[in-house]
Amino acid sequence: QVQLVESGGGLVQAGGSLRLSCVASGRTFSIYAMGWFRQAPGKEREFVAGINWSGGSTRYADSVKGRFTISRTNAKNTVYLQMNSLKPEDTAVYYCARGVGIVVVTTEYEYGTWGQGTQVTVSS
C-alpha cells in the first residue's frame, strides 16, 4: 500500500518562502499524477497545484499562480511545492495526494491516496 509523507511545513513571515516535500513509498510513483491541496480552518479542502506523471504538465489554482511551483523527481519518489511570496491567507494544512491516473487533475475525487498533511502558518 502506497504511503505519502509530507514535510517542510512551518511558521514563516509574510513574503517568505517554504518548500514542501512529499515522499511516496512503493515503485509506481512515476506512473501517477501528483497534487497538492490545502485546508484552512473552517474551510473546505481546495486544490493548490497538480503535476502529470512526467512533470511536463502542471496546473495551479488562480490564488497561487506565479507564487507556487510544483515539481517532481521520479527517481526519488518525491514531489515538491515551492511556495514564494507567502501571504497570511496561505495558512493551512497542506496535503500531498496521488492521482488515479497519469494526467494532471484538479478535483479531490480524482486523487486516491493522501498524506497526513503538514501545517503551514504565515504570519502578517
Side-chain angles (χ1 to χ4, degrees), residues 82-99:
Q82 177 67 45
M83 305 185 294
N84 298 328
S85 301
L86 282 161
K87 305 175 181 180
E89 51 263 44
D90 294 318
T91 294
V93 177
Y94 282 71
Y95 297 91
C96 169
R98 190 183 78 170

Side-chain angles (χ1 to χ4, degrees), residues 10-18 67 83-91 120-124:
L11 173 64
V12 64
Q13 288 187 333
S17 299
L18 283 174
R67 300 188 298 122
M83 305 185 294
N84 298 328
S85 301
L86 282 161
K87 305 175 181 180
E89 51 263 44
D90 294 318
T91 294
V120 171
T121 303
V122 184
S123 63
S124 57

Side-chain angles (χ1 to χ4, degrees), residues 58-80:
T58 58
R59 294 186 67 178
Y60 297 92
D62 288 342
S63 59
V64 307
K65 279 182 182 176
R67 300 188 298 122
F68 290 12
T69 302
I70 188 171
S71 62
R72 66 190 296 164
T73 302
N74 287 343
K76 295 184 178 181
N77 279 17
T78 304
V79 62
Y80 306 95

